[in-house]
């Protein structure tokens, strides 16, 4: 098997895994803070074993690198808490759709912190994605299992996407640090941060709840990180971007098939608009109303 084929299979498996995360959050029956805490704790245990196996502990990390990784861990963990709360308000599908605006926030951060070019084409795709969010936010879907305020769920999803972008920016500045070690520091930071907030007086009594929490920690965190990082090292960026869209697709499918969530035309249109915009921006699609640049022009769209 070629390295490219191996990378495609690994990326496909990793994105499919993360697409099923939401149903395990719902099945656990725990509060968002408790789910995030156990995910961090079990993930840290799994990543410790992975780091030991791969020799990541031999790396001499500096204090600045360690603090930056911790900052990323705070952002990543808070992102998880907000995302899990959002699922309880707006369902897995709609939360995932709005959360999929992450690439646009990352593009804005790239322009601010890394001097990356913010082109007119990217801004247009961002505007299109925003229209999709507005469509979803203006709708009042019938939710199969989510309770609470739908508007709160939309706001939490946007906040979670913003914090994910913060975590990525912090991680991007740690190029020389082994990725598994970064992940271990991040989830360990999250476990310590959530310890005072987690509830230990009413622990789950059902085996299914513990099975869901263990799966989130060892499978959706430790294993997923390992497989994803391996795929990233083997695949070109454009192919990584294309395969990333398996994540929301699997999330929508599992939400419908497992939890029975259904949506009307407006919600489906909003999801499709966000997916189209994210795909167009990630894969560099040219918008039809932009003329193809002249061969003598050096401008970029």
């Amino acid at each position: 098997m070629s390295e490219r084929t191996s990378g495609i299979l690994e990326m496909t498996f990793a994105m499919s895994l993360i697409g099923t995360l939401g149903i395990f959050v719902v099945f656990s029956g725990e509060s968002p803070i408790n789910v995030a805490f156990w995910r961090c704790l079990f993930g840290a245990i799994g990543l410790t074993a992975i780091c030991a196996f791969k020799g990541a502990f031999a790396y001499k990390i500096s204090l600045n690198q360690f603090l930056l990784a911790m900052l990323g861990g705070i952002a990543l963990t808070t992102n998880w808490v907000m995302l899990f709360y959002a699922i309880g308000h707006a369902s897995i599908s709609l939360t995932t759709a709005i959360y999929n605006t992450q690439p646009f926030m990352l593009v804005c951060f790239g322009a601010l912190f890394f001097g990356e070019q913010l082109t007119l084409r990217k801004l247009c795709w961002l505007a299109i994605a925003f229209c999709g969010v507005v469509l979803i936010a203006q709708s009042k879907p019938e939710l199969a299992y989510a309770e609470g305020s739908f508007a709160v769920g939309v706001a939490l999803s946007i906040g979670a996407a913003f914090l994910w972008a913060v975590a990525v920016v912090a991680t991007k500045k740690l190029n020389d640090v082994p990725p598994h070690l970064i992940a271990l520091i991040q989830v360990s930071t999250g476990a310590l941060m959530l310890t005072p907030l987690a509830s230990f007086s009413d622990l789950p009594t059902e085996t299914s709840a513990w099975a869901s929490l263990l799966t989130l920690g060892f499978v959706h965190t430790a294993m997923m990180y390992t497989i994803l990082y391996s795929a990233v090292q083997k695949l070109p960026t454009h192919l990584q971007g294309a395969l990333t869209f398996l994540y929301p697709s699997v999330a929508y499918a599992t939400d419908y098939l497992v939890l029975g969530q259904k949506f009307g035309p407006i919600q489906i249109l909003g999801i499709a608009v966000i997916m189209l915009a994210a795909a167009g921006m990630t894969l560099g699609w040219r918008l039809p109303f932009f003329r193809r640049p002249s061969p003598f022009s050096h401008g970029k769209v």
Side-chain angles (χ1 to χ4, degrees):
M1 183 184 298
S2 69
E3 186 174 84
R4 180 186 176 92
T5 301
S6 174
I8 290 174
L9 291 175
E10 289 172 343
M11 192 78 174
T12 299
F13 184 62
M15 289 299 102
S16 299
L17 270 183
I18 201 67
T20 64
L21 183 145
I23 60 172
F24 288 95
V25 172
V26 174
F27 286 163
S28 74
E30 288 291 290
S31 70
I33 289 179
N34 278 9
V35 174
F37 168 76
W38 291 111
R39 182 185 184 185
C40 287
L41 181 62
F42 293 142
I45 294 171
L47 283 164
T48 297
I50 292 169
C51 285
F53 178 75
K54 291 183 172 291
F57 291 127
Y59 181 86
K60 294 182 179 179
I61 189 169
S62 70
L63 178 61
N64 287 340
Q65 289 174 324
F66 185 77
L67 292 175
L68 193 57
M70 287 186 66
L71 174 63
I74 293 170
L76 185 66
T77 304
T78 309
N79 145 77
W80 286 345
V81 172
M82 294 181 73
L83 184 64
F84 297 162
Y85 269 115
I87 289 173
H89 285 278
S91 82
I92 294 170
S93 292
L94 295 185
T95 296
T96 301
I98 299 170
Y99 189 64
N100 208 45
T101 58
Q102 303 162 345
F104 300 100
M105 298 183 185
L106 195 56
V107 164
C108 294
F109 279 148
L112 286 173
F113 299 111
F114 299 103
E116 297 176 1
Q117 189 176 19
L118 188 59
T119 65
L120 179 59
R121 177 166 42 182
K122 290 178 180 178
L123 289 174
C124 287
W125 283 123
L126 175 58
I128 293 172
F130 179 74
C131 291
V133 174
V134 171
L135 280 172
I136 292 175
Q138 292 297 317
S139 64
K140 294 182 180 179
E142 295 183 7
L143 302 176
Y145 53 88
E147 300 176 354
S149 170
F150 179 64
V152 170
V154 172
L156 287 169
S157 301
I158 295 172
F162 174 83
L163 287 172
W164 176 86
V166 172
V168 170
V169 169
T171 302
K172 194 171 181 179
K173 290 180 174 291
L174 298 169
N175 292 331
D176 298 331
V177 184
H180 307 294
L181 185 58
I182 296 173
L184 175 59
I185 295 171
Q186 288 178 337
V187 296
S188 298
T189 299
L192 290 173
M193 182 179 76
L194 293 178
T195 296
L197 304 175
S199 174
F200 300 102
S201 59
D202 188 22
L203 294 175
T205 56
E206 296 183 3
T207 304
S208 59
W210 281 114
S212 295
L213 295 172
L214 286 166
T215 301
L216 287 169
F218 288 107
V219 178
H220 289 95
T221 305
M223 180 188 293
M224 200 277 293
Y225 267 116
T226 303
I227 297 171
L228 182 62
Y229 286 148
S230 176
V232 166
Q233 291 173 346
K234 298 173 182 176
L235 297 178
T237 303
H238 73 277
L239 197 49
Q240 294 175 35
L243 291 170
T244 296
F245 291 97
L246 284 169
Y247 155 48
S249 301
V250 172
Y252 304 148
T254 55
D255 198 17
Y256 173 74
L257 296 173
V258 179
L259 299 176
Q261 182 61 62
K262 300 177 182 178
F263 296 111
I266 295 178
Q267 294 89 43
I268 294 173
L269 178 60
I271 291 172
V273 168
I274 294 174
M275 290 280 285
L276 173 67
M281 198 278 297
T282 302
L283 302 178
W285 292 346
R286 182 176 297 279
L287 288 158
F289 47 81
F290 282 127
R291 291 186 307 170
R292 186 174 296 278
S294 163
F296 302 103
S297 170
H298 296 287
K300 292 184 178 180
V301 174

